[in-house]
């Protein structure tokens, strides 16, 4: 509105999912569909030269009046090595400082693998597969190219840390990872964190990660209920895959974190408890979670609407919040779901002896509030201060007696 004479182009996931909405409702002049690596360059050239080709660029849709002009999708770019190095010079220096494990590091973000072969129902990757006629596949930089770029970034921005955002860092041949591991250790050797899939983790790959100074790996579990994980979420990993993956990473001393989702379609207290159990069995050091949200373009959104869990016309449900359930359940209230979310880490990390007290602490009353406060204090002393591992500090019996007394005293007062 302030610069009406300028052309506005949007790109990314939402314009790819819903380009017409982007053009008509979001007031963009153009929308980039799929990858814009070459398309955006063509767009800028046509725009600067007032070329008639401006509305004929593959991957770019435009709008004239009320008419949406659609163009085809060009093939994926196969050779990533000829891309220029990323340019971070436009960012303020303060943007590079990010926390990890209680310290702030001057950190850079990158991706070495592009793409994902999976078809999880809560993700839009299936749309990319359809858009590219099932030719949407994993692509990666060569080892030499990525080492040269990382060396440049470390030198140019005085980096101390990397976060690699590959959807599955370890989805690469063992020989390729070995080459990368040795080259990175020799030429870069900065600590870094990754995300990966349980199916991709092996003992050999975990050892190579450790060799190249990986300090933390985040692995998605999402649900510990096998039916929910495989049939509802469309994930390919088994319970054995999950346990093996975390075991291999823990064994070599790489910090492990898990992703988990709550309030999924068809969620029950029983499926939630299975998620707790699988995180325990796998030995996850730092379990983490968020509430499921039915994003546009995902198959699970359609299921959530069809089964009555989600009403896309209800403004209260349309708001996306990580710490608030988006779906409505007959068997679980929002208050119960919030309490389950808040108690999840306590259930996973504290011994079974604490389970009944944690569950009582879920209730929204004076007893529940005081219990929860005390249990969090115990968690901080026995888990948080011990790098995610429960260590009995010799006061377990004292803690349990204190919790029991707290329950009795508060109930008597009430």
């Amino acid at each position: 509105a302030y610069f009406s004479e300028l052309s506005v182009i949007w790109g990314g996931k939402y314009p790819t999912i819903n380009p017409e909405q982007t053009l008509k409702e979001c007031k963009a002049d153009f929308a980039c569909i799929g990858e814009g690596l070459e398309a955006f360059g063509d767009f800028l050239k046509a725009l600067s030269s007032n070329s008639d080709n401006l509305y004929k660029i593959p991957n770019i849709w435009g709008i004239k009046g009320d008419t949406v002009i659609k163009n085809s999708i060009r093939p994926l770019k196969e050779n990533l090595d000829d891309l220029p190095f990323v340019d971070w010079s436009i960012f303020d220096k303060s943007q590079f400082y990010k926390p990890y494990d209680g310290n702030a590091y001057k950190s850079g973000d990158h991706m070495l693998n592009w793409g994902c072969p999976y078809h999880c129902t809560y993700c839009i990757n299936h749309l990319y597969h359809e858009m590219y006629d099932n030719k949407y596949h994993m692509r990666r930089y060569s080892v030499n190219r990525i080492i040269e770029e990382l060396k440049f970034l470390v030198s140019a921005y005085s980096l101390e840390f990397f976060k690699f955002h590959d959807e599955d860092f370890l989805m690469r041949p063992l020989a390729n990872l070995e080459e990368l591991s040795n080259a990175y250790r020799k030429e870069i050797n900065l600590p870094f964190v990754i995300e990966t899939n349980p199916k991709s983790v092996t003992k050999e790959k975990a050892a190579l990660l450790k060799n190249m100074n990986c300090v933390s790996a985040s692995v998605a579990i999402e649900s510990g209920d096998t039916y929910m994980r495989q049939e509802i979420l469309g994930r390919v990993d088994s319970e054995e895959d999950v346990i093996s993956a975390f075991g291999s990473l823990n064994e070599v001393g790489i910090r492990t974190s898990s992703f988990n989702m709550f309030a999924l379609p068809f969620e029950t207290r029983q499926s939630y408890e299975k998620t707790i159990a699988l995180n325990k069995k796998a030995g996850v050091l730092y379990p983490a979670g968020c509430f499921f949200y039915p994003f546009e373009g995902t198959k699970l959104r359609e299921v959530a609407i069809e089964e009555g869990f989600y009403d896309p016309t209800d403004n209260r449900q349309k708001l996306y919040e990580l710490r608030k359930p988006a779906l409505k359940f007959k068997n679980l209230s929002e208050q119960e779901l919030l309490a389950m979310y808040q108690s999840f880490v306590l259930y996973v990390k504290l011994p079974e002896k604490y389970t009944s007290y944690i569950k009582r602490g879920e209730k929204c009353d004076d007893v529940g509030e005081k219990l929860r406060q005390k249990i969090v204090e115990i968690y901080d002393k026995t888990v948080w201060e011990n790098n995610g591992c429960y260590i009995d500090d010799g006061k377990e019996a004292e803690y349990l007696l204190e919790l029991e007394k707290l329950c009795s005293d508060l109930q008597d007062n009430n």
Side-chain angles (χ1 to χ4, degrees):
Y2 295 105
F3 303 100
S4 57
E5 72 279 7
L6 297 181
S7 294
V8 174
I9 180 169
W10 282 20
K13 290 182 171 60
Y14 185 77
T16 296
I17 293 167
N18 201 335
E20 292 204 35
Q21 177 85 359
T22 301
L23 294 168
K24 291 182 176 179
E25 301 296 328
C26 302
K27 307 303 182 185
D29 300 301
F30 300 91
C32 182
I33 317 302
E35 292 187 353
L37 294 170
E38 295 166 324
F40 189 57
D42 292 345
F43 172 80
L44 291 177
K45 290 175 185 175
L47 186 67
S48 62
S49 62
N50 292 317
S51 169
D52 292 338
N53 293 327
L54 187 59
Y55 289 90
K56 300 176 183 178
I57 301 171
N59 289 61
I60 304 289
W61 287 21
I63 188 167
K64 287 184 176 181
D66 294 326
T67 303
V68 173
I69 300 167
K70 305 176 183 180
N71 290 304
S72 61
I73 297 291
R74 68 185 73 203
L76 289 169
K77 181 174 178 57
E78 297 295 341
N79 182 16
L80 302 183
D81 281 6
D82 63 6
L83 291 172
F85 291 174
V86 292
D87 181 3
W88 294 337
S89 61
I90 63 172
F91 297 109
D92 186 272
K93 292 181 180 179
S94 63
Q95 298 296 314
F96 290 94
Y97 288 96
K98 296 172 186 177
Y100 174 76
D101 201 25
N103 296 301
Y105 295 90
K106 202 168 187 185
S107 179
D109 295 51
H110 213 305
M111 288 179 65
L112 312 189
N113 285 332
W114 289 27
C116 177
Y118 298 121
H119 293 76
C120 301
T121 60
Y122 53 91
C123 180
I124 64 165
N125 268 328
H126 73 95
L127 288 178
Y128 288 102
H129 286 278
E130 293 168 8
M131 181 183 304
Y132 288 100
D133 295 325
N134 293 316
K135 296 176 183 177
Y136 183 71
H137 58 277
M138 184 75 79
R139 292 158 291 150
R140 60 179 60 90
Y141 296 99
S142 68
V143 171
N144 287 339
R145 153 60 202 250
I146 197 59
I147 293 299
E148 288 306 309
E149 180 164 6
L150 295 181
K151 284 171 63 177
F152 162 76
L153 294 173
V154 171
S155 174
Y157 304 103
S158 304
L159 300 183
E160 305 167 304
F161 201 95
F162 275 109
K163 180 174 182 179
F164 294 118
H165 291 265
D166 310 44
E167 296 198 55
D168 188 348
F169 186 90
L170 292 180
M171 185 175 279
R172 59 176 71 240
L174 183 61
N176 178 269
L177 181 63
E178 184 173 11
E179 182 187 358
L180 175 63
S181 175
N182 291 331
Y184 185 94
R185 181 182 178 89
K186 179 181 178 181
E187 302 289 346
I188 313 294
N189 206 34
L190 292 185
F192 65 93
V193 298
I194 65 160
E195 298 175 10
T196 192
N197 184 284
K199 279 282 190 189
S200 299
V201 183
T202 64
K203 289 183 179 295
E204 294 83 3
K205 288 186 176 182
L208 290 171
L209 275 182
K210 184 66 175 179
N211 174 67
M212 62 190 292
N213 209 7
C214 176
V215 293
S216 181
S218 296
V219 185
I221 293 178
E222 309 304 10
S223 175
D225 185 296
T226 300
Y227 176 80
M228 289 279 288
R229 190 175 61 257
Q230 296 184 346
E231 301 301 322
I232 304 301
L233 301 182
R235 292 186 61 84
V236 299
D237 36 276
S238 66
E239 182 170 307
E240 292 73 22
D241 291 328
V242 172
I243 294 170
S244 175
F246 282 95
S248 296
L249 293 164
N250 286 334
E251 189 176 336
V252 297
I254 293 175
R255 190 183 81 167
T256 53
S257 177
S258 64
F259 294 128
N260 302 272
M261 284 193 290
F262 310 119
L264 292 157
F266 310 108
E267 185 84 273
T268 63
R269 184 81 198 195
Q270 290 71 35
S271 62
Y272 166 77
E273 289 172 354
K274 288 179 181 179
T275 303
I276 293 169
L278 184 51
N279 276 263
K280 276 181 172 288
K281 285 181 189 176
V284 177
L285 289 178
Y286 291 94
C290 64
F291 285 110
F292 164 76
Y293 186 85
F295 287 108
E296 284 190 46
T298 63
K299 293 182 178 179
L300 204 49
R301 176 187 176 90
E302 298 171 14
V303 172
I305 294 171
E306 289 171 5
E307 298 294 333
F309 294 109
Y310 181 75
D311 180 358
T313 66
D314 185 342
N315 288 330
R316 292 169 298 180
Q317 283 190 273
K318 286 169 70 174
L319 184 63
Y320 170 54
E321 296 183 57
L322 275 175
R323 296 175 177 82
K324 185 176 180 182
L327 306 190
K328 302 294 183 184
F329 297 82
K330 293 179 181 178
N331 60 325
L332 292 168
S333 68
E334 182 175 294
Q335 181 179 310
E336 288 175 289
L337 290 166
L338 286 168
M340 289 159 61
Y341 164 77
Q342 292 165 353
S343 302
F344 178 72
V345 173
L346 301 177
Y347 280 122
V348 174
K349 298 306 298 182
L350 291 174
E352 298 289 340
K353 299 172 185 178
Y354 291 94
T355 297
S356 61
Y357 299 109
I358 299 171
K359 192 164 186 178
R360 179 62 184 87
E362 289 183 27
K363 292 190 177 180
C364 191
D365 58 13
D366 191 46
V367 178
E369 183 179 344
K370 294 290 175 56
L371 265 180
R372 178 171 171 73
Q373 289 176 358
K374 187 60 187 176
I375 294 168
V376 170
E377 289 178 16
I378 295 168
Y379 166 84
D380 286 344
K381 293 175 183 177
T382 59
V383 179
W384 186 254
E385 293 179 8
N386 297 307
N387 296 318
C389 297
Y390 175 80
I391 296 179
D392 182 2
D393 59 1
K395 297 181 180 179
E396 186 178 89
E398 180 184 327
Y399 293 147
L400 292 167
L401 186 62
E402 190 173 352
L403 292 172
E404 183 61 36
K405 188 174 185 301
L406 192 59
C407 283
S408 300
D409 290 348
L410 287 169
Q411 285 167 353
D412 289 343
N413 292 336
N414 289 339

